[in-house]
Amino acid sequence: MARMSPFFRRKAVPPDERSVTLVGKPGCHLCDDARAVVEKVCGELGVPWEEKDITRDRRLHDEYWEQIPVVLVDGQQHTFWRVDEGRLRKELTGN
């Protein structure tokens, strides 16, 4: 198998240097499901995470209200609606 050019390879970042943000709102059952996955994966990997409420932030509301819950990894949108544990783990570990 040919080796990938360094130009296209992602630089590995240790999990504890990553950040995850869960964007949602109170009373959202999908947000509750997403929180459980994010909390589990980030807890196991030692990745810091935070939760932001679209009802308290107009910019987040305008950007994400149709997609919540939204998971951002290092400030970039990773997924929305349903959070896949394996996919999130792979994104955070590179494996």
Side-chain angles (χ1 to χ4, degrees):
M1 185 165 125
R3 295 190 71 167
M4 186 181 294
S5 164
F7 180 75
F8 294 106
R9 237 181 283 147
R10 266 196 251 172
K11 189 172 183 176
V13 178
D16 63 340
E17 293 180 19
R18 311 296 304 266
S19 67
V20 173
T21 303
L22 174 61
V23 180
K25 70 177 185 175
C28 166
H29 72 281
L30 290 177
C31 299
D32 295 340
D33 295 345
R35 184 181 308 102
V37 174
V38 169
E39 191 170 47
K40 177 182 179 189
V41 172
C42 289
E44 290 173 359
L45 298 176
V47 174
W49 72 280
E50 65 178 338
E51 192 165 357
K52 296 200 175 184
D53 180 350
I54 65 166
T55 67
R56 296 176 178 260
D57 185 318
R58 185 68 189 180
R59 184 190 63 79
L60 290 176
H61 178 273
D62 292 348
E63 190 167 350
Y64 297 119
W65 72 273
E66 291 183 312
Q67 297 179 332
I68 63 165
V70 175
V71 174
L72 309 175
V73 175
D74 299 332
Q76 300 297 312
Q77 187 168 341
H78 169 72
T79 194
F80 62 97
W81 293 337
R82 301 272 183 202
V83 182
D84 180 87
E85 180 180 336
R87 184 168 176 256
L88 179 59
R89 187 179 304 281
K90 184 175 182 178
E91 175 69 26
L92 293 172
T93 63
N95 295 325

mmCIF file of all heavy atoms in Angstrom, residues 47-86:
data_model
loop_
_atom_site.group_PDB
_atom_site.id
_atom_site.type_symbol
_atom_site.label_atom_id
_atom_site.label_comp_id
_atom_site.label_asym_id
_atom_site.label_seq_id
_atom_site.Cartn_x
_atom_site.Cartn_y
_atom_site.Cartn_z
ATOM 1 N N VAL A 47 -10.538 13.967 27.466
ATOM 2 C CA VAL A 47 -10.724 15.135 26.604
ATOM 3 C C VAL A 47 -11.654 16.123 27.312
ATOM 4 O O VAL A 47 -12.753 15.756 27.717
ATOM 5 C CB VAL A 47 -11.343 14.723 25.248
ATOM 6 C CG1 VAL A 47 -11.672 15.943 24.403
ATOM 7 C CG2 VAL A 47 -10.407 13.783 24.506
ATOM 8 N N PRO A 48 -11.244 17.361 27.451
ATOM 9 C CA PRO A 48 -12.137 18.350 28.066
ATOM 10 C C PRO A 48 -13.316 18.640 27.140
ATOM 11 O O PRO A 48 -13.168 18.669 25.923
ATOM 12 C CB PRO A 48 -11.254 19.585 28.240
ATOM 13 C CG PRO A 48 -10.135 19.413 27.287
ATOM 14 C CD PRO A 48 -9.950 17.942 27.076
ATOM 15 N N TRP A 49 -14.484 18.838 27.760
ATOM 16 C CA TRP A 49 -15.657 19.172 26.966
ATOM 17 C C TRP A 49 -16.522 20.165 27.706
ATOM 18 O O TRP A 49 -16.420 20.304 28.917
ATOM 19 C CB TRP A 49 -16.436 17.919 26.563
ATOM 20 C CG TRP A 49 -17.193 17.245 27.667
ATOM 21 C CD1 TRP A 49 -16.682 16.398 28.607
ATOM 22 C CD2 TRP A 49 -18.590 17.335 27.930
ATOM 23 N NE1 TRP A 49 -17.677 15.967 29.439
ATOM 24 C CE2 TRP A 49 -18.863 16.526 29.047
ATOM 25 C CE3 TRP A 49 -19.639 18.033 27.346
ATOM 26 C CZ2 TRP A 49 -20.144 16.402 29.583
ATOM 27 C CZ3 TRP A 49 -20.908 17.898 27.870
ATOM 28 C CH2 TRP A 49 -21.154 17.079 28.968
ATOM 29 N N GLU A 50 -17.340 20.868 26.950
ATOM 30 C CA GLU A 50 -18.258 21.846 27.518
ATOM 31 C C GLU A 50 -19.584 21.742 26.789
ATOM 32 O O GLU A 50 -19.667 21.182 25.692
ATOM 33 C CB GLU A 50 -17.703 23.257 27.401
ATOM 34 C CG GLU A 50 -17.560 23.747 25.968
ATOM 35 C CD GLU A 50 -17.043 25.166 25.877
ATOM 36 O OE1 GLU A 50 -17.169 25.925 26.851
ATOM 37 O OE2 GLU A 50 -16.510 25.516 24.805
ATOM 38 N N GLU A 51 -20.589 22.301 27.423
ATOM 39 C CA GLU A 51 -21.918 22.308 26.826
ATOM 40 C C GLU A 51 -22.374 23.757 26.684
ATOM 41 O O GLU A 51 -22.180 24.559 27.594
ATOM 42 C CB GLU A 51 -22.878 21.535 27.727
ATOM 43 C CG GLU A 51 -24.190 21.239 27.090
ATOM 44 C CD GLU A 51 -24.985 20.180 27.828
ATOM 45 O OE1 GLU A 51 -24.485 19.613 28.820
ATOM 46 O OE2 GLU A 51 -26.128 19.925 27.398
ATOM 47 N N LYS A 52 -22.949 24.065 25.530
ATOM 48 C CA LYS A 52 -23.474 25.416 25.286
ATOM 49 C C LYS A 52 -24.947 25.315 24.932
ATOM 50 O O LYS A 52 -25.360 24.427 24.196
ATOM 51 C CB LYS A 52 -22.688 26.105 24.175
ATOM 52 C CG LYS A 52 -21.233 26.328 24.576
ATOM 53 C CD LYS A 52 -20.590 27.381 23.764
ATOM 54 C CE LYS A 52 -19.188 27.629 24.308
ATOM 55 N NZ LYS A 52 -18.529 28.692 23.627
ATOM 56 N N ASP A 53 -25.717 26.258 25.452
ATOM 57 C CA ASP A 53 -27.161 26.282 25.327
ATOM 58 C C ASP A 53 -27.565 27.319 24.284
ATOM 59 O O ASP A 53 -27.276 28.513 24.450
ATOM 60 C CB ASP A 53 -27.736 26.630 26.707
ATOM 61 C CG ASP A 53 -29.232 26.707 26.752
ATOM 62 O OD1 ASP A 53 -29.894 26.687 25.691
ATOM 63 O OD2 ASP A 53 -29.763 26.810 27.871
ATOM 64 N N ILE A 54 -28.254 26.886 23.216
ATOM 65 C CA ILE A 54 -28.638 27.837 22.162
ATOM 66 C C ILE A 54 -29.676 28.849 22.628
ATOM 67 O O ILE A 54 -29.840 29.884 21.990
ATOM 68 C CB ILE A 54 -29.134 27.133 20.882
ATOM 69 C CG1 ILE A 54 -30.429 26.368 21.129
ATOM 70 C CG2 ILE A 54 -28.061 26.266 20.277
ATOM 71 C CD1 ILE A 54 -31.140 25.934 19.859
ATOM 72 N N THR A 55 -30.343 28.560 23.740
ATOM 73 C CA THR A 55 -31.330 29.533 24.233
ATOM 74 C C THR A 55 -30.659 30.693 24.949
ATOM 75 O O THR A 55 -31.316 31.675 25.277
ATOM 76 C CB THR A 55 -32.363 28.874 25.174
ATOM 77 O OG1 THR A 55 -31.724 28.449 26.379
ATOM 78 C CG2 THR A 55 -33.052 27.698 24.500
ATOM 79 N N ARG A 56 -29.364 30.590 25.192
ATOM 80 C CA ARG A 56 -28.615 31.648 25.879
ATOM 81 C C ARG A 56 -27.589 32.340 24.986
ATOM 82 O O ARG A 56 -26.854 33.201 25.438
ATOM 83 C CB ARG A 56 -27.905 31.073 27.102
ATOM 84 C CG ARG A 56 -28.858 30.550 28.140
ATOM 85 C CD ARG A 56 -28.094 29.912 29.285
ATOM 86 N NE ARG A 56 -28.992 29.459 30.307
ATOM 87 C CZ ARG A 56 -29.248 30.119 31.428
ATOM 88 N NH1 ARG A 56 -28.650 31.259 31.675
ATOM 89 N NH2 ARG A 56 -30.078 29.624 32.300
ATOM 90 N N ASP A 57 -27.521 31.911 23.729
ATOM 91 C CA ASP A 57 -26.514 32.464 22.816
ATOM 92 C C ASP A 57 -27.154 32.624 21.440
ATOM 93 O O ASP A 57 -27.385 31.648 20.734
ATOM 94 C CB ASP A 57 -25.309 31.522 22.757
ATOM 95 C CG ASP A 57 -24.160 32.064 21.934
ATOM 96 O OD1 ASP A 57 -24.407 32.631 20.854
ATOM 97 O OD2 ASP A 57 -23.005 31.889 22.378
ATOM 98 N N ARG A 58 -27.444 33.849 21.075
ATOM 99 C CA ARG A 58 -28.147 34.124 19.814
ATOM 100 C C ARG A 58 -27.376 33.628 18.601
ATOM 101 O O ARG A 58 -27.953 33.102 17.647
ATOM 102 C CB ARG A 58 -28.413 35.635 19.710
ATOM 103 C CG ARG A 58 -29.235 36.009 18.524
ATOM 104 C CD ARG A 58 -30.635 35.481 18.716
ATOM 105 N NE ARG A 58 -31.383 35.639 17.485
ATOM 106 C CZ ARG A 58 -32.624 35.271 17.352
ATOM 107 N NH1 ARG A 58 -33.265 34.721 18.355
ATOM 108 N NH2 ARG A 58 -33.253 35.439 16.222
ATOM 109 N N ARG A 59 -26.069 33.806 18.597
ATOM 110 C CA ARG A 59 -25.260 33.358 17.455
ATOM 111 C C ARG A 59 -25.353 31.843 17.277
ATOM 112 O O ARG A 59 -25.556 31.347 16.163
ATOM 113 C CB ARG A 59 -23.797 33.774 17.629
ATOM 114 C CG ARG A 59 -22.921 33.411 16.422
ATOM 115 C CD ARG A 59 -21.449 33.613 16.699
ATOM 116 N NE ARG A 59 -20.931 32.776 17.754
ATOM 117 C CZ ARG A 59 -20.610 31.480 17.608
ATOM 118 N NH1 ARG A 59 -20.770 30.872 16.456
ATOM 119 N NH2 ARG A 59 -20.110 30.794 18.619
ATOM 120 N N LEU A 60 -25.224 31.104 18.378
ATOM 121 C CA LEU A 60 -25.343 29.648 18.301
ATOM 122 C C LEU A 60 -26.750 29.238 17.867
ATOM 123 O O LEU A 60 -26.915 28.310 17.077
ATOM 124 C CB LEU A 60 -24.998 29.004 19.640
ATOM 125 C CG LEU A 60 -23.537 29.052 20.058
ATOM 126 C CD1 LEU A 60 -23.373 28.464 21.454
ATOM 127 C CD2 LEU A 60 -22.651 28.322 19.070
ATOM 128 N N HIS A 61 -27.754 29.943 18.393
ATOM 129 C CA HIS A 61 -29.136 29.652 18.000
ATOM 130 C C HIS A 61 -29.312 29.822 16.490
ATOM 131 O O HIS A 61 -29.837 28.944 15.808
ATOM 132 C CB HIS A 61 -30.109 30.559 18.746
ATOM 133 C CG HIS A 61 -31.531 30.338 18.350
ATOM 134 N ND1 HIS A 61 -32.105 30.980 17.278
ATOM 135 C CD2 HIS A 61 -32.476 29.517 18.867
ATOM 136 C CE1 HIS A 61 -33.354 30.573 17.143
ATOM 137 N NE2 HIS A 61 -33.606 29.684 18.109
ATOM 138 N N ASP A 62 -28.873 30.946 15.967
ATOM 139 C CA ASP A 62 -29.035 31.222 14.540
ATOM 140 C C ASP A 62 -28.285 30.219 13.673
ATOM 141 O O ASP A 62 -28.763 29.849 12.597
ATOM 142 C CB ASP A 62 -28.561 32.639 14.212
ATOM 143 C CG ASP A 62 -29.464 33.709 14.809
ATOM 144 O OD1 ASP A 62 -30.585 33.372 15.280
ATOM 145 O OD2 ASP A 62 -29.043 34.885 14.834
ATOM 146 N N GLU A 63 -27.140 29.764 14.144
ATOM 147 C CA GLU A 63 -26.312 28.861 13.344
ATOM 148 C C GLU A 63 -26.763 27.397 13.433
ATOM 149 O O GLU A 63 -26.697 26.671 12.446
ATOM 150 C CB GLU A 63 -24.850 28.966 13.797
ATOM 151 C CG GLU A 63 -23.893 28.249 12.888
ATOM 152 C CD GLU A 63 -22.450 28.608 13.154
ATOM 153 O OE1 GLU A 63 -22.175 29.559 13.916
ATOM 154 O OE2 GLU A 63 -21.579 27.927 12.591
ATOM 155 N N TYR A 64 -27.232 26.963 14.606
ATOM 156 C CA TYR A 64 -27.442 25.525 14.815
ATOM 157 C C TYR A 64 -28.862 25.097 15.183
ATOM 158 O O TYR A 64 -29.107 23.910 15.368
ATOM 159 C CB TYR A 64 -26.504 25.029 15.926
ATOM 160 C CG TYR A 64 -25.045 25.153 15.583
ATOM 161 C CD1 TYR A 64 -24.207 25.945 16.360
ATOM 162 C CD2 TYR A 64 -24.499 24.501 14.492
ATOM 163 C CE1 TYR A 64 -22.860 26.060 16.075
ATOM 164 C CE2 TYR A 64 -23.155 24.618 14.190
ATOM 165 C CZ TYR A 64 -22.346 25.395 14.978
ATOM 166 O OH TYR A 64 -21.011 25.500 14.684
ATOM 167 N N TRP A 65 -29.840 25.986 15.296
ATOM 168 C CA TRP A 65 -31.133 25.620 15.862
ATOM 169 C C TRP A 65 -31.807 24.457 15.152
ATOM 170 O O TRP A 65 -32.519 23.682 15.779
ATOM 171 C CB TRP A 65 -32.052 26.831 15.960
ATOM 172 C CG TRP A 65 -32.579 27.321 14.645
ATOM 173 C CD1 TRP A 65 -31.972 28.210 13.810
ATOM 174 C CD2 TRP A 65 -33.813 26.967 14.018
ATOM 175 N NE1 TRP A 65 -32.744 28.422 12.700
ATOM 176 C CE2 TRP A 65 -33.880 27.667 12.814
ATOM 177 C CE3 TRP A 65 -34.850 26.113 14.374
ATOM 178 C CZ2 TRP A 65 -34.957 27.539 11.940
ATOM 179 C CZ3 TRP A 65 -35.923 26.001 13.505
ATOM 180 C CH2 TRP A 65 -35.966 26.706 12.306
ATOM 181 N N GLU A 66 -31.578 24.277 13.857
ATOM 182 C CA GLU A 66 -32.198 23.168 13.123
ATOM 183 C C GLU A 66 -31.415 21.864 13.255
ATOM 184 O O GLU A 66 -31.905 20.824 12.839
ATOM 185 C CB GLU A 66 -32.315 23.509 11.640
ATOM 186 C CG GLU A 66 -33.318 24.589 11.351
ATOM 187 C CD GLU A 66 -33.451 24.851 9.869
ATOM 188 O OE1 GLU A 66 -32.402 25.008 9.196
ATOM 189 O OE2 GLU A 66 -34.589 24.888 9.389
ATOM 190 N N GLN A 67 -30.228 21.911 13.805
ATOM 191 C CA GLN A 67 -29.368 20.734 13.826
ATOM 192 C C GLN A 67 -29.120 20.156 15.214
ATOM 193 O O GLN A 67 -28.495 19.114 15.313
ATOM 194 C CB GLN A 67 -28.006 21.083 13.205
ATOM 195 C CG GLN A 67 -28.085 21.483 11.770
ATOM 196 C CD GLN A 67 -26.717 21.835 11.220
ATOM 197 O OE1 GLN A 67 -25.827 22.265 11.930
ATOM 198 N NE2 GLN A 67 -26.557 21.646 9.934
ATOM 199 N N ILE A 68 -29.555 20.797 16.280
ATOM 200 C CA ILE A 68 -29.165 20.345 17.617
ATOM 201 C C ILE A 68 -29.625 18.914 17.878
ATOM 202 O O ILE A 68 -30.658 18.496 17.369
ATOM 203 C CB ILE A 68 -29.661 21.297 18.726
ATOM 204 C CG1 ILE A 68 -31.165 21.342 18.751
ATOM 205 C CG2 ILE A 68 -29.004 22.634 18.628
ATOM 206 C CD1 ILE A 68 -31.728 21.951 20.002
ATOM 207 N N PRO A 69 -28.831 18.197 18.635
ATOM 208 C CA PRO A 69 -27.546 18.600 19.196
ATOM 209 C C PRO A 69 -26.444 18.591 18.132
ATOM 210 O O PRO A 69 -26.469 17.796 17.208
ATOM 211 C CB PRO A 69 -27.272 17.524 20.249
ATOM 212 C CG PRO A 69 -27.948 16.307 19.713
ATOM 213 C CD PRO A 69 -29.187 16.825 19.005
ATOM 214 N N VAL A 70 -25.512 19.468 18.312
ATOM 215 C CA VAL A 70 -24.347 19.579 17.436
ATOM 216 C C VAL A 70 -23.109 19.347 18.288
ATOM 217 O O VAL A 70 -23.005 19.873 19.394
ATOM 218 C CB VAL A 70 -24.274 20.972 16.770
ATOM 219 C CG1 VAL A 70 -23.000 21.129 15.965
ATOM 220 C CG2 VAL A 70 -25.495 21.208 15.895
ATOM 221 N N VAL A 71 -22.176 18.562 17.765
ATOM 222 C CA VAL A 71 -20.908 18.339 18.457
ATOM 223 C C VAL A 71 -19.806 18.998 17.638
ATOM 224 O O VAL A 71 -19.673 18.748 16.431
ATOM 225 C CB VAL A 71 -20.607 16.835 18.637
ATOM 226 C CG1 VAL A 71 -19.220 16.630 19.233
ATOM 227 C CG2 VAL A 71 -21.672 16.187 19.517
ATOM 228 N N LEU A 72 -19.057 19.858 18.301
ATOM 229 C CA LEU A 72 -17.889 20.505 17.695
ATOM 230 C C LEU A 72 -16.638 19.872 18.286
ATOM 231 O O LEU A 72 -16.561 19.666 19.498
ATOM 232 C CB LEU A 72 -17.883 21.998 17.997
ATOM 233 C CG LEU A 72 -19.158 22.791 17.692
ATOM 234 C CD1 LEU A 72 -19.008 24.223 18.183
ATOM 235 C CD2 LEU A 72 -19.483 22.750 16.220
ATOM 236 N N VAL A 73 -15.695 19.560 17.442
ATOM 237 C CA VAL A 73 -14.394 19.073 17.899
ATOM 238 C C VAL A 73 -13.369 20.110 17.480
ATOM 239 O O VAL A 73 -13.258 20.430 16.294
ATOM 240 C CB VAL A 73 -14.054 17.686 17.307
ATOM 241 C CG1 VAL A 73 -12.640 17.265 17.702
ATOM 242 C CG2 VAL A 73 -15.069 16.639 17.762
ATOM 243 N N ASP A 74 -12.683 20.654 18.453
ATOM 244 C CA ASP A 74 -11.699 21.718 18.211
ATOM 245 C C ASP A 74 -12.326 22.874 17.430
ATOM 246 O O ASP A 74 -11.711 23.462 16.550
ATOM 247 C CB ASP A 74 -10.467 21.180 17.490
ATOM 248 C CG ASP A 74 -9.751 20.102 18.287
ATOM 249 O OD1 ASP A 74 -9.839 20.125 19.531
ATOM 250 O OD2 ASP A 74 -9.120 19.218 17.669
ATOM 251 N N GLY A 75 -13.587 23.176 17.751
ATOM 252 C CA GLY A 75 -14.266 24.305 17.143
ATOM 253 C C GLY A 75 -14.892 24.045 15.784
ATOM 254 O O GLY A 75 -15.552 24.918 15.235
ATOM 255 N N GLN A 76 -14.689 22.844 15.235
ATOM 256 C CA GLN A 76 -15.240 22.507 13.927
ATOM 257 C C GLN A 76 -16.378 21.504 14.089
ATOM 258 O O GLN A 76 -16.291 20.578 14.896
ATOM 259 C CB GLN A 76 -14.156 21.884 13.036
ATOM 260 C CG GLN A 76 -12.974 22.800 12.789
ATOM 261 C CD GLN A 76 -13.381 24.048 12.030
ATOM 262 O OE1 GLN A 76 -14.069 23.985 11.029
ATOM 263 N NE2 GLN A 76 -12.957 25.209 12.538
ATOM 264 N N GLN A 77 -17.434 21.662 13.294
ATOM 265 C CA GLN A 77 -18.573 20.756 13.418
ATOM 266 C C GLN A 77 -18.171 19.330 13.075
ATOM 267 O O GLN A 77 -17.624 19.052 12.015
ATOM 268 C CB GLN A 77 -19.726 21.208 12.515
ATOM 269 C CG GLN A 77 -20.976 20.390 12.753
ATOM 270 C CD GLN A 77 -22.209 20.986 12.100
ATOM 271 O OE1 GLN A 77 -22.230 22.158 11.757
ATOM 272 N NE2 GLN A 77 -23.226 20.180 11.938
ATOM 273 N N HIS A 78 -18.449 18.441 14.011
ATOM 274 C CA HIS A 78 -18.149 17.018 13.839
ATOM 275 C C HIS A 78 -19.405 16.265 13.419
ATOM 276 O O HIS A 78 -19.367 15.446 12.517
ATOM 277 C CB HIS A 78 -17.583 16.443 15.155
ATOM 278 C CG HIS A 78 -17.483 14.967 15.175
ATOM 279 N ND1 HIS A 78 -16.554 14.267 14.441
ATOM 280 C CD2 HIS A 78 -18.219 14.034 15.828
ATOM 281 C CE1 HIS A 78 -16.716 12.971 14.652
ATOM 282 N NE2 HIS A 78 -17.718 12.807 15.480
ATOM 283 N N THR A 79 -20.516 16.525 14.089
ATOM 284 C CA THR A 79 -21.752 15.814 13.791
ATOM 285 C C THR A 79 -22.939 16.591 14.335
ATOM 286 O O THR A 79 -22.774 17.568 15.056
ATOM 287 C CB THR A 79 -21.714 14.387 14.395
ATOM 288 O OG1 THR A 79 -22.754 13.601 13.831
ATOM 289 C CG2 THR A 79 -21.848 14.400 15.904
ATOM 290 N N PHE A 80 -24.133 16.133 13.987
ATOM 291 C CA PHE A 80 -25.356 16.709 14.541
ATOM 292 C C PHE A 80 -26.426 15.629 14.614
ATOM 293 O O PHE A 80 -26.299 14.566 14.027
ATOM 294 C CB PHE A 80 -25.832 17.927 13.729
ATOM 295 C CG PHE A 80 -26.188 17.640 12.293
ATOM 296 C CD1 PHE A 80 -27.505 17.422 11.930
ATOM 297 C CD2 PHE A 80 -25.206 17.596 11.318
ATOM 298 C CE1 PHE A 80 -27.835 17.164 10.608
ATOM 299 C CE2 PHE A 80 -25.530 17.352 9.993
ATOM 300 C CZ PHE A 80 -26.849 17.127 9.629
ATOM 301 N N TRP A 81 -27.459 15.900 15.364
ATOM 302 C CA TRP A 81 -28.597 15.038 15.669
ATOM 303 C C TRP A 81 -28.216 13.804 16.471
ATOM 304 O O TRP A 81 -28.551 13.713 17.633
ATOM 305 C CB TRP A 81 -29.391 14.641 14.432
ATOM 306 C CG TRP A 81 -30.105 15.775 13.777
ATOM 307 C CD1 TRP A 81 -30.487 16.956 14.341
ATOM 308 C CD2 TRP A 81 -30.510 15.847 12.424
ATOM 309 N NE1 TRP A 81 -31.117 17.747 13.420
ATOM 310 C CE2 TRP A 81 -31.146 17.092 12.222
ATOM 311 C CE3 TRP A 81 -30.391 14.977 11.342
ATOM 312 C CZ2 TRP A 81 -31.667 17.479 11.008
ATOM 313 C CZ3 TRP A 81 -30.918 15.370 10.127
ATOM 314 C CH2 TRP A 81 -31.554 16.604 9.966
ATOM 315 N N ARG A 82 -27.512 12.878 15.893
ATOM 316 C CA ARG A 82 -27.120 11.644 16.587
ATOM 317 C C ARG A 82 -25.602 11.580 16.676
ATOM 318 O O ARG A 82 -24.908 11.786 15.684
ATOM 319 C CB ARG A 82 -27.609 10.408 15.835
ATOM 320 C CG ARG A 82 -29.100 10.350 15.653
ATOM 321 C CD ARG A 82 -29.744 9.678 16.811
ATOM 322 N NE ARG A 82 -31.183 9.572 16.578
ATOM 323 C CZ ARG A 82 -32.049 9.421 17.533
ATOM 324 N NH1 ARG A 82 -31.660 9.367 18.785
ATOM 325 N NH2 ARG A 82 -33.328 9.326 17.258
ATOM 326 N N VAL A 83 -25.104 11.261 17.855
ATOM 327 C CA VAL A 83 -23.656 11.176 18.054
ATOM 328 C C VAL A 83 -23.262 9.710 18.090
ATOM 329 O O VAL A 83 -23.754 8.956 18.925
ATOM 330 C CB VAL A 83 -23.226 11.875 19.362
ATOM 331 C CG1 VAL A 83 -21.719 11.813 19.529
ATOM 332 C CG2 VAL A 83 -23.711 13.315 19.382
ATOM 333 N N ASP A 84 -22.407 9.318 17.179
ATOM 334 C CA ASP A 84 -21.918 7.948 17.120
ATOM 335 C C ASP A 84 -20.659 7.838 17.983
ATOM 336 O O ASP A 84 -19.663 8.522 17.721
ATOM 337 C CB ASP A 84 -21.616 7.567 15.670
ATOM 338 C CG ASP A 84 -21.100 6.150 15.544
ATOM 339 O OD1 ASP A 84 -21.940 5.237 15.426
ATOM 340 O OD2 ASP A 84 -19.861 5.963 15.585
ATOM 341 N N GLU A 85 -20.728 6.981 18.996
ATOM 342 C CA GLU A 85 -19.616 6.844 19.942
ATOM 343 C C GLU A 85 -18.316 6.469 19.240
ATOM 344 O O GLU A 85 -17.265 7.059 19.494
ATOM 345 C CB GLU A 85 -19.968 5.790 20.996
ATOM 346 C CG GLU A 85 -18.889 5.582 22.018
ATOM 347 C CD GLU A 85 -19.255 4.534 23.064
ATOM 348 O OE1 GLU A 85 -20.454 4.296 23.287
ATOM 349 O OE2 GLU A 85 -18.321 3.969 23.654
ATOM 350 N N GLY A 86 -18.355 5.498 18.344
ATOM 351 C CA GLY A 86 -17.149 5.056 17.649
ATOM 352 C C GLY A 86 -16.545 6.138 16.767
ATOM 353 O O GLY A 86 -15.326 6.314 16.727
#
